[in-house]
Amino acid sequence: MNDLTQSTLAQPKVVGQRTPRIDGEFKLTGRAGYTGELSVEGMLYGYPVAASIAHGTLERLELDEALAMPGVVDIFHHANFPRLHRSPNSMGHGDQVSEVRLPFEDERIYYHGQYVALVVAESFAQARAAAQRVVARYRQETGAISSLLDGAHDSHTEGELLEDSGTTRGDPEAAFAGAAVQIDAVYHIAAESHLQMEMHATLAEWRDDGSRLVVHESSQGVFYQRNAMARIFDLAQENIEVISHYIGSGFGNKLFMWPHAVAAAGAARELGRPLKLVLPRAQDMTGGGNRPASRQRLRLGADRDGRLNAVIHDSTTETSLVDRYVDACGSATPSFYACDNLAVSQRILALNHGTPCPMRAPGEVSGIFALETAMDELAVALAMDPVELRLRNYAHEDPESGLPWSSKQLDKCLHSAAERFGWAQRDPGIGAMRDGDEIIGYGMAACTWFAGRQPCQARVELRADGTLFAACGTQDIGTGTYTIVAQTVAELTGVAVADIEVKLGETSLPTGPLSGGSMATATTLPAVAAAVRDALSALKEVATGHGGVFAGVDADSLTVAEGALSDGERSHSFAEVLEAMRLSSVNGQGSSAPGEEKKQYSFRSFGAHFVEVRVDPSISRVRVARVVSSMDIGRAINPPTARNQVEGGIVMGIGMGLFEKLDYDPRDARLINANVADYIVPVHADIPEIDVELLDYPDFKFNEFGARGVGEIGLTGIAPAISNALYHATGKRYRDLPVTIEALLADHASG
Amino acid sequence: MRAFDFSRAESVGSAAQHGNAETAFVAGGTTLLDLVKLDVMRPAAVVDINALPLKTVERLADGRLRIGALVTNTDLAHHPEVKRDYPLLSQALLAGASTQLRNMATTAGNLMQRTRCPYFRDVGSACNKRQPGSGCDARDGINRMHALLGGSADCIAVHPSDMCVALAAIGATLTLEGPAGEREVAFADFHPLPGDTPHIEHDLAADELITALTLDAPLTLDAPLARAGSHYLKLRDRASYEFALASAAVQLNLDGERITEARLALGGVATKPWRASEAEAALVGRPAELASFERAAEIALRDARPLAHNAFKVDLAKQAIVRALRDATRAARQGGTDTQESQA
């Protein structure tokens, strides 16, 4: 009998198998309580008043009418909100926040939608009605910077060069100057909204005479929020609990706390009652995070055979006037292709927006648009198949670190996706493929996302009723973390998934990682596995000790299978072992962290997207007709949810390519499409047939599960595959996202 | 949202009695509820008219089709007589909004639909339509969605309806009922140009209620031997659930190669459902071919006044017209009407 505890997970039975979400029933039946749905006794409702200008000063608030309205309890603002401390805002110390400025800290207005007051009332409707009656008088100033991409501000948009964010190897400028074939192009991407389904929400409750704070937050990082709140409210960390059981997605804007949560907790403390604050969509979009616009210059130098000898990638991205967010566009570039001469630089420009933050594949998705479009331009300049160009520059080891890859199957991705797509049938001539009114364009791009791990702890209980319990203070943001934790426990114990309870999303649980960076799977599962093994060791001690069912047997000789211990002759279930000793449970603790492997290998996932677009030039219409993708992500722990992540990323990539753009009025930097109708994302009719293949090459050099993470890579590479397909169809290079009807019309009008 | 009185009307007469400048009638609520929540509309009283007996579609003796004010967009789009005789209307309805919204939205409500101008919908912006005399933030703002035709110094907001574009081409009459009794208004006269009173959006008194919409007899009845074709084409930023950047509603009668009668209306580019009468006249007697279509498109957009961000819609509207004329011609030549849903 194979001993599960010693398994290398090379031949798993549950991990890697299609497993229905264990939280699916709760979600389908409405029993999964999302933060905005929770209520506690005596709870008040907060509704922020948001600045209607983006640049100036709040001169006066007229509150009398609002204060007199039914149900209104109080209104907080600059003059009466408690004076708090800022979080040190350190990633390393775990107290990073999304926007370091505290709410109501001063009367300057730095961006449209900044909170100028918080109305608190007995009901949501009363709070909203009163918030609409608060009259704010501003002294608006001219000179608001609305966008990095706003031509009116060219002299202001160079930005600040970040000396420590660049990298150089070889002599890229000289190599570029001497290259036989050069590509030198500038790419612009509009600012985007996360537009996650569930708005930011906080329910703050002070207990024990205000000495303890319990916060429910829709959060991708409960420990970061706890630590930041401890600093802001001068509390010991153990006196704050942050809870996030169910999250209606985050895409990065729920990694770190925003000012609304401080406003909610501060008001709750002042009033001595619990308070819930759910941001309305408009405020979620103005002050709850965005992907900043980017301007990138990409220079590629190559020889006539297509071998890259220079890559120079210069990026500028937006940040706010109240924090410094860096969207590192060039972070994947040094490791993407084999090239001896390379430089990456990064600038940031502060402007009158709410602070940007990570948004799914932050930085890299923007950088890969520029790089993979430039590679297509190079392929055209060389008259070379773009797949061949990528294979010709294949990085067989990480050119940045010089280390071998743990496992890289990009070549297989390229070949497999090309085969399934029918790339060989492509006529490379511009506009050469037609169907009725439509021109068919084929395009492709490679994609990548780094693989990382964080430290993690977990706890497991084996219970006398035969069930198991696993806990970790990470979160399930809708990606399926609950289920893969249960699969892990099931794998190592042989207990059915249905008999395993999983608890996540509380700071009272062992410290878990952010749900971000596609790192949760590779981070959490090894810690859970360690906790399971620890619990099983404890169980074996119990079983072999005095009075135990295997009394006198060598504990190390016992094996585990199907929820039972066996000495080879007799088998006793976990429950029987515990019952014999009248124990309710045995516990195990586990932890894991990245280790020596980082010194030996580089870790990245890679993939390839192939896209068919259909352009009807006589009516300026573009549709993505087909997407075929192959992804090398290591092992997929639960294939349906892993595939779902890639498909969702592809849909988001179609949005980035063709639709999504936060529209800031160039006159005053006000965001004018802060709603789900005017901010355009793909609807079902825009989403084509999507064929995703997950290659199965477990990366055991990364962790014993072989998983590298899958949340972000699907988004990277889609927009350039679309723009490259549009080039094939129209002969025009689309370097600005989203590709609008205006841009297509300009193409058509110029013939 | 402000507190408001709420009542249910039992009869058209009682509903009209409630009507005053502070009252809003609610049917599907697809415009009203949004705008009340945004504090853009602030009715002191809301009168629910859903119980009124205005939900039937009936054929009149003179061949016209009378549609009750409360017939939903979904029911109207799928009504057999509409699909047979007014496929243009059915197409236009189905090009609008989403299934869920069409299930709620009513015929009269669609006539009363308010603009999607972002400055109108944001109480922090200047808008003469929302607050007369406050100015127009759209004119020098992000006016990509705004009107090329029919605008004024005070307002360039686009009329958002698809249904109304088809109605402009088909021709229709509204029946209104108020304390003084019933009166009729031609559809073409119901939506005034904004001029210097953009807050006045309809020829409808506060104490009047729309009770019915009567479609002109089908174009085919006037020329029973003609081959008739129609097409509604909507060009927009995404494939569905999105307002038009430009749309064209076309009805044609052909006599062999030539156009004997033409109707052309535009959406997404004008401050009201826009009948392009001169372009229609220029089509009649011409061969149904590309050159005629392109000439009509030029004429239809001849008076366009592009703004900083919407100049592309001049070309886009021409493309919509040319393609809709072509597809209506194809439909006519196939011996009937083009019943496929507008895909664009």
Side-chain angles (χ1 to χ4, degrees):
Chain A
M1 188 181 295
N2 182 33
D3 185 346
L4 290 169
T5 63
Q6 301 305 314
S7 165
T8 61
L9 292 164
Q11 298 289 329
K13 292 178 177 166
V14 186
V15 162
Q17 298 302 310
R18 178 188 186 93
T19 307
R21 290 174 188 260
I22 63 171
D23 52 340
E25 184 186 339
F26 294 109
K27 290 182 172 175
L28 282 174
T29 56
R31 280 180 288 157
Y34 290 81
T35 303
E37 301 173 316
L38 303 177
S39 63
V40 295
E41 183 79 22
M43 185 176 79
L44 296 166
Y45 293 80
Y47 196 97
V49 178
S52 63
I53 67 166
H55 188 44
T57 305
L58 175 65
E59 294 219 301
R60 194 170 76 250
L61 285 170
E62 295 169 12
L63 305 175
D64 291 351
E65 184 188 352
L67 281 168
M69 289 174 68
V72 174
V73 174
D74 207 343
I75 301 176
F76 291 94
H77 47 86
H78 170 61
N80 69 352
F81 190 73
R83 198 173 152 76
L84 304 170
H85 294 114
R86 286 187 170 195
S87 172
N89 200 15
S90 160
M91 193 70 200
H93 291 127
D95 52 24
Q96 174 104 26
V97 293
S98 283
E99 186 171 292
V100 71
R101 180 184 178 274
L102 296 168
F104 322 120
E105 194 178 75
D106 57 42
E107 288 168 302
R108 284 294 299 170
I109 303 298
Y110 302 95
Y111 59 88
H112 179 214
Q114 179 182 322
Y115 311 128
V116 297
L118 178 72
V119 175
V120 181
E122 298 286 349
S123 75
F124 170 78
Q126 289 169 329
R128 180 174 62 181
Q132 289 174 343
R133 291 307 155 273
V134 171
V135 179
R137 306 287 182 192
Y138 303 98
R139 191 174 72 246
Q140 187 167 5
E141 295 169 22
T142 57
I145 303 178
S146 66
S147 170
L148 172 67
L149 311 181
D150 178 4
H153 294 289
D154 268 349
S155 61
H156 302 297
T157 59
E158 190 176 63
E160 170 195 351
L161 181 65
L162 304 177
E163 300 289 353
D164 59 351
S165 289
T167 184
T168 301
R169 63 177 186 248
D171 188 350
E173 294 286 348
F176 178 75
V181 184
Q182 296 176 333
I183 299 296
D184 183 353
V186 177
Y187 304 84
H188 300 105
I189 304 174
E192 292 186 275
S193 176
H194 299 70
L195 215 72
Q196 79 290 350
M197 192 171 291
E198 181 203 19
M199 263 78 77
H200 286 294
T202 307
L203 167 54
E205 182 178 11
W206 293 83
R207 293 182 186 165
D208 304 336
D209 291 329
S211 62
R212 282 199 334 113
L213 172 61
V214 178
V215 178
H216 291 266
E217 178 84 32
S218 183
S219 170
Q220 295 174 248
V222 291
F223 279 93
Y224 279 78
Q225 176 152 351
R226 180 200 66 176
N227 298 348
M229 285 197 135
R231 306 302 292 263
I232 290 167
F233 288 97
D234 294 313
L235 289 171
Q237 288 178 351
E238 57 266 30
N239 288 331
I240 301 182
E241 188 173 345
V242 178
I243 302 166
S244 199
H245 289 154
Y246 298 101
I247 298 121
S249 193
F251 303 128
N253 61 339
K254 295 174 178 171
L255 288 168
F256 310 113
M257 184 175 66
W258 292 94
H260 71 267
V262 179
R269 189 172 69 177
E270 293 301 298
L271 297 170
R273 289 173 65 180
L275 187 147
K276 183 164 76 178
L277 192 168
V278 181
L279 288 186
R281 178 64 72 179
Q283 293 178 16
D284 199 275
M285 293 177 75
T286 50
N290 61 80
R291 188 199 301 282
S294 57
R295 181 178 58 223
Q296 302 177 69
R297 182 182 181 195
L298 221 301
R299 282 174 283 171
L300 301 180
D303 67 19
R304 300 254 172 236
D305 292 329
R307 288 189 176 76
L308 289 168
N309 50 29
V311 175
I312 307 174
H313 190 171
D314 301 309
S315 306
T316 309
T317 55
E318 299 169 333
T319 186
S320 72
L321 295 167
V322 293
D323 210 322
R324 289 167 64 82
Y325 173 72
V326 180
D327 211 47
C329 295
S331 55
T333 305
S335 299
F336 213 126
Y337 291 112
C339 181
D340 293 334
N341 304 292
L342 174 139
V344 167
S345 77
Q346 176 77 39
R347 290 170 181 269
I348 57 172
L349 174 79
L351 39 56
N352 294 87
H353 291 181
T355 307
C357 68
M359 176 167 155
R360 203 175 198 178
E364 292 197 4
V365 67
S366 306
I368 289 168
F369 168 67
L371 179 62
E372 284 297 279
T373 308
M375 286 294 281
D376 201 69
E377 300 188 48
L378 180 60
V380 169
L382 293 161
M384 183 181 291
D385 186 299
V387 177
E388 172 58 25
L389 178 66
R390 284 160 175 87
L391 291 170
R392 209 163 276 199
N393 291 285
Y394 201 80
H396 293 281
E397 58 177 27
D398 183 349
E400 184 64 4
S401 67
L403 297 173
W405 299 108
S406 59
S407 171
K408 176 178 176 179
Q409 319 297 336
L410 173 58
D411 52 346
K412 297 181 185 67
C413 292
L414 289 165
H415 290 307
S416 174
E419 170 73 23
R420 284 181 295 122
F421 182 81
W423 184 254
Q425 281 77 57
R426 167 180 177 260
D427 180 335
I430 300 298
M433 299 165 65
R434 288 181 178 264
D435 180 10
D437 291 328
E438 294 178 330
I439 310 171
I440 298 169
Y442 284 2
M444 59 79 55
C447 63
T448 185
W449 182 251
F450 81 97
R453 287 175 64 183
Q454 298 166 284
C456 182
Q457 298 172 4
R459 180 161 62 84
V460 167
E461 287 175 23
L462 311 181
R463 293 166 167 167
D465 65 0
T467 66
L468 275 71
F469 172 77
C472 175
T474 189
Q475 306 73 211
D476 186 335
I477 59 171
T479 52
T481 308
Y482 278 114
T483 306
I484 61 173
V485 168
Q487 286 177 269
T488 298
V489 176
E491 185 70 49
L492 297 177
T493 60
V495 172
V497 165
D499 290 328
I500 297 165
E501 180 188 351
V502 180
K503 194 159 207 175
L504 306 175
E506 296 184 13
T507 52
S508 60
L509 304 176
T511 309
L514 288 170
S515 299
S518 299
M519 294 189 281
T521 297
T523 296
T524 306
L525 300 195
V528 171
V532 171
R533 293 186 180 113
D534 190 43
L536 289 171
S537 291
L539 187 73
K540 289 176 184 176
E541 293 297 323
V542 166
T544 55
H546 180 69
V549 290
F550 290 110
V553 175
D554 177 11
D556 291 340
S557 71
L558 294 177
T559 57
V560 177
E562 293 173 9
L565 297 182
S566 171
D567 64 0
E569 295 175 5
R570 289 175 300 139
S571 178
H572 288 287
S573 71
F574 300 168
E576 288 166 359
V577 173
L578 292 168
E579 180 58 31
M581 300 300 287
R582 301 179 63 100
L583 290 174
S584 65
S585 66
V586 293
N587 293 347
Q589 316 283 337
S591 65
S592 70
E596 293 298 304
E597 76 277 4
K598 286 176 73 174
K599 296 175 183 164
Q600 298 170 318
Y601 301 100
S602 277
F603 303 95
R604 266 191 178 275
S605 290
F606 287 90
H609 295 298
F610 288 72
V611 166
E612 175 185 324
V613 298
R614 299 225 161 196
V615 181
D616 188 337
S618 299
I619 54 171
S620 304
R621 194 177 72 184
V622 170
R623 295 282 186 264
V624 177
R626 211 153 53 92
V627 179
V628 175
S629 306
S630 287
M631 294 289 138
D632 167 34
I633 56 157
R635 170 185 281 152
I637 303 299
N638 191 4
T641 50
R643 183 182 308 277
N644 175 251
Q645 285 298 306
V646 177
E647 290 170 348
I650 288 168
V651 172
M652 212 170 201
I654 293 171
M656 183 178 197
L658 297 179
F659 304 125
E660 297 189 46
K661 177 177 189 285
L662 288 167
D663 269 327
Y664 295 92
D665 194 317
R667 295 169 299 181
D668 53 19
R670 286 157 38 85
L671 180 62
I672 69 153
N673 63 340
N675 61 71
V676 182
D678 294 331
Y679 179 85
I680 303 171
V681 295
V683 293
H684 281 76
D686 296 299
I687 300 170
E689 179 189 334
I690 296 173
D691 170 9
V692 172
E693 173 191 41
L694 304 175
L695 299 188
D696 187 19
Y697 289 88
D699 189 346
F700 293 121
K701 295 188 175 77
F702 191 43
N703 59 66
E704 63 179 317
F705 289 84
R708 279 198 302 264
V710 66
E712 285 155 289
I713 187 170
L715 171 55
T716 69
I718 283 292
I722 291 171
S723 72
N724 296 340
L726 286 171
Y727 176 82
H728 178 223
T730 67
K732 182 175 176 187
R733 187 58 70 178
Y734 293 94
R735 299 189 183 94
D736 296 353
L737 299 182
V739 178
T740 59
I741 287 174
E742 290 89 314
L744 289 158
L745 260 169
D747 173 39
H748 180 65
S750 65
Chain B
M1 184 186 290
R2 299 174 187 231
F4 52 79
D5 293 329
F6 181 79
S7 60
R8 288 192 176 84
E10 305 296 327
S11 68
V12 172
S14 71
Q17 276 173 7
H18 282 94
N20 62 57
E22 301 291 305
T23 298
F25 297 118
V26 64
T30 56
T31 289
L32 181 70
L33 297 189
D34 262 14
L35 293 178
V36 168
K37 284 194 277 188
L38 292 170
D39 209 28
V40 170
M41 292 179 75
R42 302 167 176 180
V46 173
V47 180
D48 178 358
I49 57 169
N50 282 298
L52 302 183
L54 305 172
K55 295 176 182 169
T56 55
V57 177
E58 56 183 319
R59 177 70 71 179
L60 303 184
D62 59 7
R64 297 187 301 156
L65 197 68
R66 182 184 162 98
I67 301 157
L70 292 175
V71 174
T72 67
N73 286 183
T74 296
D75 286 347
L76 188 58
H78 296 294
H79 194 281
E81 297 206 42
V82 172
K83 286 170 76 169
R84 190 189 65 212
D85 293 337
Y86 303 97
L88 183 68
L89 177 59
S90 184
Q91 278 187 340
L93 283 162
L94 294 175
S98 66
T99 305
Q100 292 89 336
L101 285 166
R102 294 194 296 267
N103 288 344
M104 295 299 294
T106 63
T107 303
N110 197 311
L111 296 167
M112 300 294 288
Q113 195 178 352
R114 305 201 68 183
T115 185
R116 191 73 206 181
C117 172
Y119 300 98
F120 168 72
R121 293 170 61 88
D122 170 30
V123 293
S125 298
C127 174
N128 291 318
K129 188 184 279 297
R130 175 167 36 77
Q131 194 177 348
S134 63
C136 173
D137 269 347
R139 175 155 285 282
D140 297 318
I142 297 181
N143 45 37
R144 179 174 185 267
M145 300 294 287
H146 290 74
L148 302 165
L149 296 162
S152 69
D154 288 335
C155 187
I156 49 172
V158 158
H159 194 275
S161 168
D162 291 295
M163 180 188 89
C164 288
V165 181
L167 292 178
I170 292 165
T173 305
L174 279 69
T175 305
L176 316 178
E177 194 172 321
E182 220 173 65
R183 69 181 176 107
E184 294 197 328
V185 177
F187 173 80
D189 299 329
F190 183 66
H191 300 99
L193 291 172
D196 57 5
T197 56
H199 59 289
I200 299 172
E201 297 180 342
H202 318 100
D203 178 4
L204 183 73
D207 58 1
E208 285 181 315
L209 200 62
I210 303 169
T211 55
L213 173 76
T214 305
L215 305 181
D216 288 0
L219 210 52
T220 45
L221 292 188
D222 296 336
L225 297 178
R227 286 189 293 181
S230 70
H231 192 75
Y232 185 72
L233 178 64
K234 181 178 183 180
L235 303 181
R236 45 182 156 176
D237 281 313
R238 63 182 165 194
S240 182
Y241 191 47
E242 180 60 29
F243 291 94
L245 291 166
S247 70
V250 168
Q251 291 195 116
L252 292 177
N253 283 355
L254 301 186
D255 177 10
E257 291 304 305
R258 293 194 180 271
I259 299 166
T260 57
E261 187 148 13
R263 299 281 181 83
L264 171 63
L266 305 179
V269 294
T271 53
K272 64 174 285 182
W274 196 261
R275 178 91 177 258
S277 304
E278 290 180 54
E280 291 174 355
L283 285 163
V284 174
R286 296 268 169 173
E289 62 186 27
L290 185 63
S292 306
F293 305 156
E294 289 179 341
R295 183 163 165 271
E298 289 297 327
I299 292 169
L301 274 300
R302 194 164 53 194
D303 296 329
R305 297 272 190 85
L307 303 155
H309 297 99
N310 71 355
F312 76 99
K313 296 206 301 186
V314 176
D315 291 330
L316 194 68
K318 290 177 187 172
Q319 291 187 331
I321 292 167
V322 171
R323 177 62 62 84
L325 284 165
R326 186 200 75 174
D327 287 353
T329 300
R330 284 185 178 175
R333 288 189 175 143
Q334 282 157 12
T337 46
D338 174 9
T339 53
Q340 79 175 29
E341 286 184 25
S342 172
Q343 295 292 311

